Amino acid sequence: MSERLEDIAIKMVAEGKGILAADESTGTIKKRFDSISVENTEENRRDYRELMFSSDEAMKNYVSGVILFDETLRQKAKNGTPLVDMIKAAGSVPGIKVDAGAHDLAGFPGEKVTEGLDGLRGRLKEYYGLGARFAKWRAVITIGDDGRPSWNCIHANAHALARYAALCQEQNIVPIVEPEVLMDGPDAKHTIDRCYDVTVRTLQTVFQELYVAGVKLEGMVLKPNMVVPGQHAGAKASVEEVAAKTVKALKATVPAAVPGIAFLSGGQSDEEATAHLSAMNAIYDLPWTLTFSYGRALQAAALKAWGGKAQNVKAAQSAFAHRAKMNSLAATGKWKRDLELKAA
Ligand code: 13P
């Protein structure tokens, strides 16, 4: 595989493929395991990730890259094969979450800034040695009817994203730049138009900071939220409205030099996340590839089918392969709702 940043970025957004976000921190995977009453042990985490990475149908056909948590990058499968090698053998690119999580933003109650820049250069060097060829850093922006997000929150997060992205490129690692305007949380009562405004302001600031930091746009992947109403807004938006407003926000802010945009699912249902992506690709002529980098919307069905039991591994793998296939179709605008019904 070519080691040029541009080539790795293009591979990550190859046609009909997308990224599996399997980088839940130990705390976040606990929440997922709690939902299926599975104990959060290192072995269970390994077994769960191994079942996805050994699902040949999904990995070889639909998954261009996998984002891992530090522990998983170092873990071996039951038979002793490093999990990273399983991902590479399937033709997929291993990646690593490098941020240290979102922490309270001093002086701005209810807002967060992502930490993890200290020592990042050294950690990137090590991760490269362990096989990672791309990285991820997630910033979160909360909307509230009390003035949130503040300019300081948007700016501090955009600045950190740009410093992270520049460090990644220096180490020959493609940065996934992820500024997430949250759709969930107790205060998420905002309209889709408010999400649109905040998403545009956030992306404008992020690209301004990337420019100032000298980040090469051809060697990165953007991972944004879609433009949707808050989870507790009451009113739902149609698939067409989400597609139209998301594409409008991206066209207004994302330079065409960026090779691809891989969305997060952010709390949308599996099928909503697929339908929205498919509509954007089916209806619009776009300068970048639009694909998925889903965590929950790719894994929820597989997690439930597995339930922590070895005898359910095959069922979990087929649930994962189905979701990956639906999203692969969405990445080329060819998904149809009746394909879901046939599989059910
Ligand atoms: P979700 O698709 O579950 O939002 O996760 C994607 C991700 O990587 C968040 O950082």
Side-chain angles (χ1 to χ4, degrees):
M1 183 175 96
S2 160
E3 296 280 297
R4 288 174 66 232
L5 287 172
E6 294 88 326
D7 296 331
I8 295 166
I10 285 170
K11 189 168 177 191
M12 289 163 65
V13 294
E15 191 173 334
K17 290 192 175 187
I19 297 165
L20 165 64
D23 60 322
E24 299 86 359
S25 63
T26 308
T28 302
I29 199 75
K30 180 180 186 311
K31 288 191 218 151
R32 309 279 185 265
F33 280 6
D34 283 349
S35 74
I36 52 165
S37 306
V38 167
E39 206 188 333
N40 188 23
T41 63
E42 189 174 339
E43 198 182 342
N44 285 339
R45 291 192 293 273
R46 191 273 315 272
D47 287 351
Y48 175 58
R49 267 75 184 241
E50 183 178 341
L51 88 77
M52 289 189 283
F53 307 159
S54 59
S55 169
D56 271 356
E57 192 200 337
M59 292 294 296
K60 290 191 175 154
N61 300 313
Y62 313 126
V63 176
S64 57
V66 183
I67 319 174
L68 303 169
F69 186 58
D70 181 280
E71 174 186 272
T72 321
L73 188 68
R74 303 168 195 277
Q75 252 170 348
K76 292 191 169 75
K78 260 205 176 74
N79 70 4
T81 310
L83 294 179
V84 177
D85 290 353
M86 292 174 66
I87 294 167
K88 286 199 241 168
S92 189
V93 186
I96 178 79
K97 179 227 284 295
V98 299
D99 66 66
H103 296 264
D104 290 345
L105 180 62
F108 291 79
E111 298 198 293
K112 305 270 182 196
V113 64
T114 300
E115 295 184 0
L117 288 169
D118 288 354
L120 182 57
R121 177 179 278 123
R123 288 193 291 127
L124 288 167
K125 280 188 206 296
E126 189 197 3
Y127 288 143
Y128 188 94
L130 291 167
R133 290 297 175 271
F134 72 90
K136 172 188 122 170
W137 178 290
R138 171 174 176 255
V140 296
I141 309 292
T142 306
I143 299 178
D145 52 16
D146 50 0
R148 287 175 297 163
S150 64
W151 164 244
N152 186 39
C153 175
I154 293 178
H155 182 257
N157 277 297
H159 182 74
L161 277 165
R163 283 186 60 197
Y164 140 82
L167 280 163
C168 286
Q169 291 190 337
E170 180 196 84
Q171 298 305 321
N172 222 18
I173 288 180
V174 172
I176 290 187
V177 173
E178 182 178 1
E180 175 176 4
V181 176
L182 293 173
M183 65 172 281
D184 60 3
D187 297 342
K189 299 188 189 100
H190 54 272
T191 62
I192 186 168
D193 289 328
R194 180 105 169 90
C195 178
Y196 173 86
D197 289 343
V198 173
T199 300
V200 166
R201 198 147 39 103
T202 299
L203 291 174
Q204 274 170 346
T205 312
V206 166
F207 279 98
Q208 186 180 326
E209 292 293 322
L210 290 171
Y211 174 75
V212 171
V215 172
K216 204 159 137 184
L217 300 181
E218 295 81 357
M220 64 163 273
V221 170
L222 179 70
K223 177 163 173 166
N225 53 285
M226 293 184 197
V227 174
V228 290
Q231 203 173 32
H232 306 297
K236 279 240 171 207
S238 68
V239 171
E240 291 71 25
E241 186 180 8
V242 170
K245 289 184 173 165
T246 304
V247 165
K248 189 171 177 212
L250 295 172
K251 281 196 169 172
T253 54
V254 185
V258 172
I261 297 175
F263 291 104
L264 57 94
S265 59
Q268 301 177 55
S269 73
D270 296 0
E271 211 174 301
E272 278 167 355
T274 306
H276 292 152
L277 177 63
S278 195
M280 285 184 241
N281 280 309
I283 304 170
Y284 298 95
D285 189 19
L286 304 162
W288 350 257
T289 304
L290 285 194
T291 190
F292 56 93
S293 174
Y294 296 158
R296 285 163 284 181
L298 259 183
Q299 296 185 47
L303 185 75
K304 206 165 150 218
W306 177 55
K309 300 196 173 70
Q311 69 265 31
N312 294 338
V313 163
K314 283 266 168 309
Q317 287 178 327
S318 63
F320 174 50
H322 172 71
R323 227 35 270 145
K325 183 176 181 183
M326 294 298 105
N327 285 307
S328 160
L329 290 167
T332 50
K334 298 199 182 95
W335 174 84
K336 299 267 177 309
R337 198 170 302 274
D338 57 359
L339 295 170
E340 301 279 355
L341 300 174
K342 269 181 223 148

